[in-house]
Amino acid sequence: NTQVEEWVLNPGDMLYLPPRVPHCGIALSAGCMTLSVGCRAPSVSDLVSRLAERFSNSVEDVAVRRYTDDDLLNDGSRENFSPGEITAKAKEDAKHLVLNALQNMMDDDSVWDEFFGRYVTEPKRLRNNYPIPLEDDDECDGPTVQDVLNGCGMLYHAEGICFSYSEVKSQGLSKTATTIYRLFVNGEMWKSDSADDGMLYETIANNRMLDGPVLLESIENDGRREKKLEFLEELISLGLLYGSEE
């Protein structure tokens, strides 16, 4: 009894399909070419699966801690002892072992910030050799960072690469809260405790096209200019940003 609806699209038309709507497309001519763009938010299953991966690769105490049953040997002396039974206490202890490990991670804002930032910016489809980094002896074809600052050309995000930034309070061994600024690109992370670096991260993440005036606002106001220029050049060398005169 499922209702089926049909639309015929002409060249230039676009059809929006809400999430979780089953669909299929059929080409009506030999020269038909279609482009599908998906905007996919992570599901609970996606996040839990990735959390499981993180725990499986972790050497932290909460991740490698094993289930123990101190009462098992003592129970063996009871007359009604049943060695094959999974007791209610055993199930509850195992449950708490997992919940405590998860809670330990989620209660640490800095750890969760890094996990989530890396996850939501990483590529969701396998792409070989992309983005394409510059080799050590390669020269940048487009304008350099300094050229852009001088008003020649722009820097662009590499197509299909996700940029995001965050700031989070973190407590070190001194127990003093420090603000950490982070830039996430394609699943990678850069961080700093400098608010000026945080401003640059925000500028990069919020602008797919970076011209001279935009960059100057976050570069010229402190003594870290050279470090910031080196950082932008690093993103270019990794293929995450590229320069163009257009």
Side-chain angles (χ1 to χ4, degrees), residues 129-170:
N129 301 319
Y130 187 82
I132 303 173
L134 297 178
E135 300 295 338
D136 292 339
D137 55 351
D138 283 350
E139 292 186 4
C140 182
D141 294 333
T144 64
V145 175
Q146 191 59 58
D147 291 334
V148 173
L149 292 175
N150 292 336
C152 177
M154 292 186 179
L155 295 180
Y156 293 85
H157 290 187
E159 284 72 17
I161 301 297
C162 184
F163 288 67
S164 294
Y165 74 97
S166 73
E167 60 180 78
V168 63
K169 296 290 185 182
S170 178

Side-chain angles (χ1 to χ4, degrees), residues 25 28 32 38 42 47 57 91 97 107 114 124 131 139 163 166 168 215 237 242:
L28 298 180
C32 175
L47 292 172
N57 296 320
K91 290 183 284 187
L97 185 69
D107 283 347
E114 178 179 348
K124 299 302 184 285
E139 292 186 4
F163 288 67
S166 73
V168 63
L215 285 176
S237 71
Y242 66 91

Side-chain angles (χ1 to χ4, degrees), residues 7 15 17-25 36:
W7 290 268
L15 177 65
L17 294 169
R20 292 190 281 183
V21 173
H23 57 279
C24 66
S36 296

Side-chain angles (χ1 to χ4, degrees), residues 10 16 24 42 47 56 58 62 68 90 92 104 125 130 133 145 156 159-160 164 171 175 185 200 215 219 238:
N10 297 309
Y16 170 73
C24 66
L47 292 172
S56 68
S58 176
V62 293
T68 59
E92 196 66 21
N104 183 275
R125 290 182 175 83
Y130 187 82
V145 175
Y156 293 85
E159 284 72 17
S164 294
Q171 286 189 344
K175 302 299 181 181
V185 187
L200 178 60
L215 285 176
I219 287 180
L238 293 173

Side-chain angles (χ1 to χ4, degrees), residues 88-203:
K89 182 179 182 303
K91 290 183 284 187
E92 196 66 21
D93 288 347
K95 181 195 299 184
H96 282 297
L97 185 69
V98 175
L99 290 177
N100 288 340
L102 289 172
Q103 199 65 52
N104 183 275
M105 177 183 180
M106 294 182 177
D107 283 347
D108 189 325
D109 291 339
S110 180
V111 172
W112 181 256
D113 176 77
E114 178 179 348
F115 165 79
F116 192 72
R118 288 181 182 274
Y119 176 76
V120 296
T121 59
E122 69 182 11
K124 299 302 184 285
R125 290 182 175 83
L126 179 63
R127 292 178 291 187
N128 293 324
N129 301 319
Y130 187 82
I132 303 173
L134 297 178
E135 300 295 338
D136 292 339
D137 55 351
D138 283 350
E139 292 186 4
C140 182
D141 294 333
T144 64
V145 175
Q146 191 59 58
D147 291 334
V148 173
L149 292 175
N150 292 336
C152 177
M154 292 186 179
L155 295 180
Y156 293 85
H157 290 187
E159 284 72 17
I161 301 297
C162 184
F163 288 67
S164 294
Y165 74 97
S166 73
E167 60 180 78
V168 63
K169 296 290 185 182
S170 178
Q171 286 189 344
L173 297 177
S174 64
K175 302 299 181 181
T176 301
T178 303
T179 301
I180 301 298
Y181 304 90
R182 288 169 169 161
L183 176 69
F184 300 95
V185 187
N186 207 39
E188 301 297 325
M189 181 187 75
W190 289 263
K191 64 180 180 178
S192 173
D193 59 3
S194 165
D196 287 315
D197 288 345
M199 183 185 301
L200 178 60
Y201 294 166
E202 180 178 350
T203 297

